[in-house]
């Protein structure tokens, strides 16, 4: 008999929830990187780049991927040869792990769970209780999947009790445009088929715990009808062109997962639940030897290296994340903003060149006017001559020879008494020039 201690279960759940709050699953990062390279829409490409950049920053800074840190959903497969060493129920022990994770002072997560949902809707302040599904299975280990599901994608869940002859593909293609972009694509579609109404919904949610493997599936080809249905839905949904964040593009979804269950002859229940870009789930196993491990820093390092390589950064910078994190955050600009900055700088340079050309032309015209005035002043009567400015200089700044006569004693101005220029006349001349 394997003994699972209360402390091990609490610590494992808490660690898993903290882990998924700031680390994307690596399968999602890889699939999103491929989608980024294939994307043709500039807006959708920018959206994917921002998701990747946000993921890297969260992995380095250990801060939540999304401000909506989700409702905790847990799938437990409890080995029948295992015993929980606790005086509390399994739900209470798991919720203690949730509470510990969401109140962690080093990375406190937003509490979003409300008690009395139909009336007072009071926040429970610690994101408990979780939604837990338990299955008793043969064996002497406990296998647990932990997920944090955001409200935006959860609110787009769909269900239909179909007629046996109805097309699942047609229904999905009808529902996807109605979902809009509030579920934050690109993500995954989880589809549950069969059982009863509630069973199909659980199947859809449970299917989202799997890894993204659509590229591998399409490369080897489908081996059964479910896999063929996955590929058909994947291709046709992406052909709708909704794109990342609803901005139009090639990648609305990165994978389609389908679980099914036998159902009544008169029924065909089908449920569909999307997963958003903040895909958060982890898996661990308890065998009585201590807390489970859900990836830890190794997976985070992989995420950083993957994003560094995808975005052309030096992987060595990740080793000094603490020193450079604040500077990176302060210097970061979205790709669209970076292009706007470049366009603005280019327009500024063009404007500067235009101003310089205009300035040279204006200077030439001004110099010509000064020369004409100076020549006119020399050719006229000495007493009525005009000079080229208050300093009586020519275009080169030199004083004319016939203007160099000293004025009357105490005058302080160049030129004789008859040729002396009043300051007011000088100002008037300057205005004309």
């Amino acid at each position: 008999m394997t003994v699972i201690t209360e402390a091990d279960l609490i610590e494992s759940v808490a660690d898993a929830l903290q882990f998924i709050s700031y680390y994307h699953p690596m399968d999602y990062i890889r699939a999103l990187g491929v989608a980024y390279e294939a994307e043709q829409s500039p807006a959708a490409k920018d959206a994917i780049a921002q998701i990747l950049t946000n993921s890297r920053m969260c992995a380095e800074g250990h801060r939540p991927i999304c401000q909506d840190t989700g409702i905790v959903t847990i799938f437990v497969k409890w080995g029948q040869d295992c015993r929980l060493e606790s005086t509390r129920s399994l739900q209470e022990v798991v919720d203690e792990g949730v509470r510990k994770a969401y109140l962690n002072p080093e990375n406190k997560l937003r509490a979003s769970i409300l008690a009395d949902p139909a009336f007072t809707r009071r926040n429970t302040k610690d994101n408990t209780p979780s939604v837990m599904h338990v299955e008793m299975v043969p064996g002497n280990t406990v296998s647990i999947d932990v997920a944090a599901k955001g409200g935006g994608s959860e609110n787009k869940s769909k269900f239909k009790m179909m007629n046996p002859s109805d097309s699942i593909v047609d229904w999905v293609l009808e529902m996807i445009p109605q979902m809009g972009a509030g579920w934050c694509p690109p993500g995954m579609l989880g589809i549950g088929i069969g059982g009863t109404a509630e069973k199909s919904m659980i199947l859809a949610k449970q299917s989202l715990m799997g890894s993204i493997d659509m590229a591998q599936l399409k490369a080897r080809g489908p081996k059964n009808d479910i896999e063929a249905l996955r590929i058909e839905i994947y291709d046709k949904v992406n052909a709708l062109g909704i794109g990342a964040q609803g901005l139009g593009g090639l990648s609305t979804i990165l994978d389609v997962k389908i679980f099914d269950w036998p159902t009544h002859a008169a029924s065909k229940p089908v449920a569909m639940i999307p997963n958003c870009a903040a895909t958060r789930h982890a898996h661990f196993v308890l065998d009585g030897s201590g807390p489970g491990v859900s990836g830890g820093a190794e997976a985070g390092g992989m995420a950083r290296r993957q994003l560094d390589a995808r975005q052309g950064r030096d992987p060595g910078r990740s080793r000094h994340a603490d020193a450079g994190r604040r500077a990176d955050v302060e210097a970061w600009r979205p790709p669209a903003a970076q292009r706007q900055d470049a366009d603005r700088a280019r327009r500024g340079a063009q404007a500067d060149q235009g101003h310089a050309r205009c300035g040279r032309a204006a200077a030439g015209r001004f110099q010509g006017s000064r020369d004409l005035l100076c020549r006119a002043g020399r050719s006229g009567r000495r007493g009525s001559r005009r000079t080229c400015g208050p300093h009586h200089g020519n275009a080169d700044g030199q004083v004319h020879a016939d203007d160099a006569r000293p004025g009357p004693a105490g005058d302080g101005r160049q030129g004789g008494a008859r040729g002396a220029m009043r300051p007011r006349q000088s100002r008037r001349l300057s205005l004309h020039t």
Side-chain angles (χ1 to χ4, degrees), residues 406-425:
D411 187 13
R413 294 194 301 271
Q414 292 176 339
R418 291 191 305 166
M421 181 176 291
R422 301 289 190 270
R424 185 172 181 178
Q425 292 173 318

Side-chain angles (χ1 to χ4, degrees), residues 364-402:
R365 289 194 298 272
F366 183 63
Q367 179 175 338
S369 299
R370 289 164 62 95
D371 291 342
L372 287 172
L373 288 168
C374 290
R375 287 197 295 272
R378 288 196 296 272
S379 64
R381 214 169 32 89
R382 181 181 298 272
S384 61
R385 70 176 179 272
R386 292 291 185 265
T387 64
C388 52
H391 298 294
H392 296 209
N394 61 17
D396 297 324
Q398 302 297 320
V399 178
H400 297 311
D402 56 354

Side-chain angles (χ1 to χ4, degrees), residues 3 58 68 80 115 120 131 173 189 199 213 235 244 267 286 341-342 381 391 401:
V3 176
C58 294
D68 183 353
Q80 293 171 176
T120 58
V131 177
L173 295 178
L189 290 181
K199 181 63 175 180
D213 62 353
D235 288 340
S267 304
L286 296 172
D341 292 343
R381 214 169 32 89
H391 298 294

Side-chain angles (χ1 to χ4, degrees), residues 207-404:
S207 71
L208 293 172
M209 301 299 107
S211 298
I212 295 175
D213 62 353
M214 180 55 68
Q216 295 89 327
L217 173 59
K218 296 184 75 171
R220 66 169 172 79
K223 294 182 178 179
N224 53 53
D225 291 339
I226 289 291
E227 290 184 347
L229 182 59
R230 287 178 58 195
I231 294 175
E232 182 181 3
I233 293 175
Y234 173 84
D235 288 340
K236 290 185 175 180
V237 167
N238 282 331
L240 295 174
I242 295 172
Q245 301 297 300
L247 297 173
L250 301 176
S251 297
T252 304
I253 55 175
L254 303 178
D255 204 345
V256 179
K257 299 295 186 181
I258 301 176
F259 282 2
D260 66 344
W261 193 267
T263 190
H264 192 281
S267 304
K268 190 177 179 178
V270 180
M272 179 172 65
I273 303 176
N275 222 4
C276 65
T279 297
R280 293 168 294 201
H281 59 85
H283 174 78
F284 62 88
V285 176
L286 296 172
D287 59 6
S289 63
V293 178
S294 48
E298 180 181 358
M302 290 176 62
R304 290 194 294 271
R305 290 191 294 274
Q306 175 76 10
L307 289 166
D308 285 339
R310 188 72 62 190
Q311 299 178 3
R313 290 187 174 91
D314 176 12
R317 291 184 63 192
S318 296
R319 296 194 297 270
H320 307 287
D322 289 336
R325 186 180 306 141
R326 181 174 297 276
D328 288 344
V329 171
E330 292 176 351
W332 182 83
R333 295 273 287 160
Q338 293 175 15
R339 284 200 299 272
Q340 292 175 357
D341 292 343
D343 291 342
R344 193 176 296 113
R346 185 174 60 255
R347 290 195 299 269
Q350 292 172 350
D352 289 342
Q353 294 174 359
H355 292 328
R357 288 194 297 270
C358 292
R360 288 194 294 271
R365 289 194 298 272
F366 183 63
Q367 179 175 338
S369 299
R370 289 164 62 95
D371 291 342
L372 287 172
L373 288 168
C374 290
R375 287 197 295 272
R378 288 196 296 272
S379 64
R381 214 169 32 89
R382 181 181 298 272
S384 61
R385 70 176 179 272
R386 292 291 185 265
T387 64
C388 52
H391 298 294
H392 296 209
N394 61 17
D396 297 324
Q398 302 297 320
V399 178
H400 297 311
D402 56 354
D403 290 336

Side-chain angles (χ1 to χ4, degrees), residues 72-304:
V72 177
T73 304
I74 297 180
F75 291 92
V76 180
K77 292 185 176 179
W78 194 278
Q80 293 171 176
D81 292 333
C82 297
R83 179 177 67 86
L84 177 61
E85 190 178 63
S86 176
T87 58
R88 295 189 281 183
S89 68
L90 180 59
Q91 179 76 52
E92 291 174 328
V93 174
V94 168
D95 284 347
E96 184 61 34
V98 174
R99 184 177 296 109
K100 182 178 180 180
Y102 278 73
L103 299 181
N104 187 326
E106 295 183 2
N107 181 37
K108 192 172 182 179
L109 306 178
R110 192 184 81 180
S112 304
I113 304 307
L114 307 180
D116 193 19
F119 301 104
T120 58
R121 296 177 66 84
R122 300 185 310 275
N123 196 304
T124 62
K125 304 296 181 66
D126 56 13
N127 219 60
T128 64
S130 61
V131 177
M132 187 168 60
H133 307 279
V134 182
E135 179 184 357
M136 299 297 293
V137 297
N140 59 357
T141 60
V142 176
S143 176
I144 298 180
D145 286 302
V146 177
K149 191 71 161 60
S153 58
E154 188 71 7
N155 290 349
K156 302 299 181 179
S157 302
K158 303 295 182 181
F159 171 80
K160 184 175 182 180
M161 188 63 77
M162 292 184 175
N163 293 319
S165 61
D166 290 344
S167 168
I168 295 174
V169 175
D170 289 347
W171 176 73
V172 170
L173 295 178
E174 179 186 355
M175 292 297 104
I176 292 293
Q178 297 179 21
M179 290 159 56
W183 59 283
C184 291
M188 299 167 59
L189 290 181
I191 297 176
I193 306 171
T196 56
E198 80 281 4
K199 181 63 175 180
S200 65
M201 294 297 291
I202 294 173
L203 291 171
K205 179 64 68 67
Q206 192 170 11
S207 71
L208 293 172
M209 301 299 107
S211 298
I212 295 175
D213 62 353
M214 180 55 68
Q216 295 89 327
L217 173 59
K218 296 184 75 171
R220 66 169 172 79
K223 294 182 178 179
N224 53 53
D225 291 339
I226 289 291
E227 290 184 347
L229 182 59
R230 287 178 58 195
I231 294 175
E232 182 181 3
I233 293 175
Y234 173 84
D235 288 340
K236 290 185 175 180
V237 167
N238 282 331
L240 295 174
I242 295 172
Q245 301 297 300
L247 297 173
L250 301 176
S251 297
T252 304
I253 55 175
L254 303 178
D255 204 345
V256 179
K257 299 295 186 181
I258 301 176
F259 282 2
D260 66 344
W261 193 267
T263 190
H264 192 281
S267 304
K268 190 177 179 178
V270 180
M272 179 172 65
I273 303 176
N275 222 4
C276 65
T279 297
R280 293 168 294 201
H281 59 85
H283 174 78
F284 62 88
V285 176
L286 296 172
D287 59 6
S289 63
V293 178
S294 48
E298 180 181 358
M302 290 176 62
R304 290 194 294 271

